[in-house]
């Protein structure tokens, strides 16, 4: 029975009075800030493993580990080779997404979608596959499934030991009405072992544009539960659930659906929006929780993209209740989230740290080392693999500072660039870097710091002569900065022998600023499912790096974080 309307209206007030805690869990949302969408979680004893989407980035599908659901470390990546992650030439928003984690007969299975393009001419439909692992670190080659669609999930019925593949798929290839489909599956071949059929279409009207997605099957007591996402990936996103006495249905819809839907309280009222794509799980203490994606809406924009959140789950009358029936809020004043310590990487050793990513699948190993970049013809605007490495922006209030290595073996010409980027896609990135001066305002033959703003089809470019030594070489200690705040980003540079932006004597020359909406906006008829990244890059911009060109790279990156002070009902500072 549905709750009376007046009681449902009072739920936010009841929720605020009760707080944001489960019996044994301290919740400080988001638990994985920054670009970490589509979370799938698996508990193994007292350990939790959580996988998220990676889209166009390599390596693919990061897997995080925690023992307390609040402190997470990057455990591994599931897709690390070209055969596991073939992403050559894909556009933004394609790639690898919507993982699901299962432990089946002692072997870990990670199931996911890969899509290569949105081009209707190419007819490359999204495919599903899984990889297996004995330890959540080393992963097999893909096993491709018979069905095509998105958001696959593997569930083994404890009563029969049969494994079912459940996914979002069209009813056929003609009218393509999307719904939740299923078959029993052979884990070794990907072949269906039972009739492949649609099992539930969710709670919204079924039309060609409706998207019941993200299915997750679980069993509790005598019931099997089918938890899905609906409403698309924006404000209408939500989580709904149905139950059955069989893993194949028929399915009874929860009378109090949706379980999770912050849009019910107004799309601009609450800061947390787009709540959905959930996975439920229990804890060793017997509590139940759910992880799900959401975005922090700062005056209509979410530059960090979709992040991973957590809430408590209670069971009432055989149905789960998320977050005591109230909206998802951020941290309470009684339990504020601590400001993280600085992140510093001085690129010691041959291998990059695991938190750095490449765009698309690299053609060869060793593209970056220590950190020496190997520039090629591609830039950040090309749908290929430029000489660039990226880190996720994880705070709405922080500074990213990167100190360049002194150039060795030559000088930059007007076609060569090296710099840092606030990056969203090949169509939307804002860069500050060093180049051989190319405009009349520059010192031709010398070096200039330039700013290039690419904003979904528009381009702005400026450059400023740099101070150089008497021999024309670049001075040491040149550091490039991106200062990110909830409403605005700034870009600048400094000369300093200091190793930290936070040192009071560092003077930064700020050259430009742009609104944070730049890193949260897709061009018309495009999708962007990722979030803001900070990049280090070098490029020949359409030409091979010259033989006489310098060796370029970075000696140090430092991220400094500040208090975010984001309110539940809008931006407070």
């Amino acid at each position: 029975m549905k709750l009376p309307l007046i009681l449902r209206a009072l739920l936010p007030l009841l929720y605020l009075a009760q707080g944001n805690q489960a019996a044994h869990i301290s919740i400080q949302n988001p638990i994985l800030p920054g670009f970490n969408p589509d979370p799938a979680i698996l508990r193994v004893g007292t350990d939790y493993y959580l996988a998220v989407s990676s889209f166009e980035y390599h390596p693919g599908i990061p897997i995080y580990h925690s023992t307390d659901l609040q402190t997470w470390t990057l455990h591994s990546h599931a897709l690390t080779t070209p055969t596991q992650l073939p992403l050559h030439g894909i556009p933004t928003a394609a790639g690898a997404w919507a993982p699901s984690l299962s432990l089946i007969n002692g072997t870990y299975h990670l199931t996911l979608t890969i899509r290569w393009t949105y081009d209707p001419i190419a007819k490359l439909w999204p495919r599903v596959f899984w990889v297996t692992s004995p330890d959540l670190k080393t992963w097999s080659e893909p096993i491709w499934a018979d069905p095509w669609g998105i958001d696959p999930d593997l569930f083994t019925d404890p009563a029969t030991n049969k494994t079912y593949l459940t996914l979002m798929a069209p009813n056929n290839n003609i009218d393509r009405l999307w719904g939740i489909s299923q078959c029993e599956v052979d884990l070794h071949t990907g072949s269906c072992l039972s009739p492949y059929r649609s099992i539930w279409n969710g709670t919204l009207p079924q039309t060609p544009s409706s998207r019941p997605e993200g299915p997750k099957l679980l069993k509790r007591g005598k019931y099997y539960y089918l938890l899905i996402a609906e409403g698309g990936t924006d404000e209408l996103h939500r989580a709904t659930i149905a139950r059955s006495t069989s893993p194949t249905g028929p399915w009874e819809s929860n009378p109090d659906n949706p379980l999770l839907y912050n849009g019910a309280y107004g799309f601009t009222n609450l800061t947390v929006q787009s709540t959905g794509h959930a996975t439920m799980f229990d804890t060793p203490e017997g509590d139940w929780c759910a992880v799900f994606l959401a975005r922090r809406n700062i005056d209509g924009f979410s530059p960090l993209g979709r992040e991973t959140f957590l809430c408590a789950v209670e069971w009432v009358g055989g149905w789960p209740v998320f977050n005591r029936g109230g909206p998802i809020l951020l941290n309470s004043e009684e339990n504020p989230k601590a400001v993280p310590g600085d992140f510093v990487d001085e690129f010691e050793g041959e291998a990059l740290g695991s938190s750095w990513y490449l765009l698309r699948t690299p053609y060869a190993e060793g593209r970056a080392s220590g950190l020496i970049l190997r520039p090629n013809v591609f830039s950040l605007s090309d749908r290929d693999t430029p000489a660039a490495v990226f880190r996720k922006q994880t705070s709405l209030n922080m500074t990213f500072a990167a100190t360049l290595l002194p150039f060795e073996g030559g000088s930059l010409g007007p076609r060569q660039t090296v710099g840092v980027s606030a990056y969203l896609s090949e169509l939307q990135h804002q860069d500050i870097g060093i180049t051989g001066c190319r405009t009349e305002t520059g010192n031709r033959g010398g070096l200039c710091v330039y700013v290039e703003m690419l904003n979904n089809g528009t381009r702005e470019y400026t450059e400023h002569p740099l101070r150089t030594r008497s021999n024309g070489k670049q001075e040491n200690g040149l550091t490039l900065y991106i200062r990110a705040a909830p409403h605005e980003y700034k870009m600048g540079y400094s000369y300093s022998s200091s190793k930290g932006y936070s040192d009071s004597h560092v003077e930064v020359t700020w050259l430009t600023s742009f609104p944070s909406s730049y890193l949260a906006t897709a061009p018309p008829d495009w999708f962007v499912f990722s979030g803001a990244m900070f990049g280090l890059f070098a490029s020949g911009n359409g030409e091979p790096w010259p033989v006489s060109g310098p060796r370029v790279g970075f000696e140090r990156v430092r991220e400094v974080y500040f208090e975010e002070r984001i309110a539940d009902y809008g931006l407070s500072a």
Side-chain angles (χ1 to χ4, degrees), residues 28-48:
Q28 296 176 316
N29 276 318
I31 60 168
L32 281 178
F35 163 44
N36 286 292
D38 307 326
I41 195 167
L42 175 68
R43 178 175 68 86
V44 182
T46 58
D47 295 292
Y48 300 93

Side-chain angles (χ1 to χ4, degrees), residues 324-440:
R324 299 189 178 102
I328 301 299
L329 306 179
L330 295 172
N331 310 307
S332 66
E333 293 183 1
E334 297 79 17
N335 187 26
K337 196 166 188 176
V339 176
D342 294 0
F343 167 83
V344 177
D345 195 338
E346 295 182 336
F347 305 110
E348 297 174 346
E350 290 297 315
L352 280 171
S354 59
S355 63
W356 292 98
Y357 292 86
L358 305 177
L359 274 171
R360 306 174 185 89
T361 302
Y363 296 101
E365 297 298 325
R367 187 166 298 279
S369 173
L371 173 73
I372 305 299
L373 295 173
R374 298 179 181 177
N376 56 40
V377 300
F378 303 115
S379 75
L380 299 182
S381 299
D382 293 314
R383 197 178 291 180
D384 215 292
T385 304
V389 295
F390 300 84
R391 267 178 57 82
K392 299 176 182 181
Q393 182 185 338
T394 57
S395 172
L396 288 163
N397 195 14
M398 65 177 293
T399 293
F400 179 86
T403 302
L404 279 80
L405 288 166
F407 298 156
E408 294 184 8
S411 183
L412 293 177
R415 297 286 294 182
Q416 294 93 52
T417 56
V418 55
V420 303
S421 178
Y423 183 91
L424 182 65
S425 73
E426 66 267 30
L427 306 170
Q428 181 69 286
H429 55 90
Q430 329 306 321
D431 310 329
I432 181 171
I434 310 302
T435 187
C437 298
R438 64 184 74 168
T439 69
E440 294 181 358

Side-chain angles (χ1 to χ4, degrees), residues 15 18-28 70 287 311-314 323-324 330-332 334-335:
Y15 167 82
Q18 292 173 336
N20 191 26
Q21 306 300 314
H24 299 91
I25 303 167
S26 174
I27 299 176
Q28 296 176 316
Q70 198 61 53
D287 292 320
C311 76
V313 175
E314 298 168 314
N323 207 45
R324 299 189 178 102
L330 295 172
N331 310 307
S332 66
E334 297 79 17
N335 187 26

Side-chain angles (χ1 to χ4, degrees), residues 51-94:
V52 298
S53 296
S54 52
F55 291 93
E56 62 262 42
Y57 289 95
H58 176 97
I61 311 297
I63 300 173
Y64 298 90
H65 170 256
S66 178
T67 57
D68 62 5
L69 293 173
Q70 198 61 53
T71 303
W72 295 88
T73 57
L74 185 56
H75 182 74
S76 66
H77 290 87
L79 309 177
T80 60
T81 68
T83 53
Q84 292 173 322
L85 190 65
L87 300 180
H88 299 295
I90 69 163
T92 184

